[in-house]
Amino acid sequence: MDDETWNNIIEQKERSIFYGNMGTLATPLEFKSKYGEWPPGYDENGNKIDNKK
């Protein structure tokens, strides 16, 4: 194995791999599907509650 190939292998091993936020739910509907209730800040119909009153 030549030096260039070896250095490429070492460089690939040293890079940190980011797979995203796999545990984070992207939408309130996904939260509802997973936990059976709307996330905090949403009413029973899935509408965002506006607390700026």
Side-chain angles (χ1 to χ4, degrees):
M1 185 179 306
D2 63 348
D3 288 340
E4 183 179 352
T5 303
W6 178 253
N7 289 335
N8 286 339
I9 291 171
I10 297 300
E11 183 180 319
Q12 288 175 355
K13 294 284 266 180
E14 291 176 348
R15 285 187 203 137
S16 62
I17 299 172
F18 179 71
Y19 291 104
N21 298 325
M22 296 188 307
T24 303
L25 301 172
T27 65
L29 186 57
E30 288 179 4
F31 190 95
K32 168 82 169 150
S33 296
K34 183 172 183 176
Y35 298 113
E37 61 184 33
W38 293 102
Y42 288 83
D43 66 11
E44 64 276 354
N45 297 319
N47 299 316
K48 187 163 181 80
I49 299 171
D50 185 16
N51 293 328
K52 297 179 183 178
K53 292 180 181 179

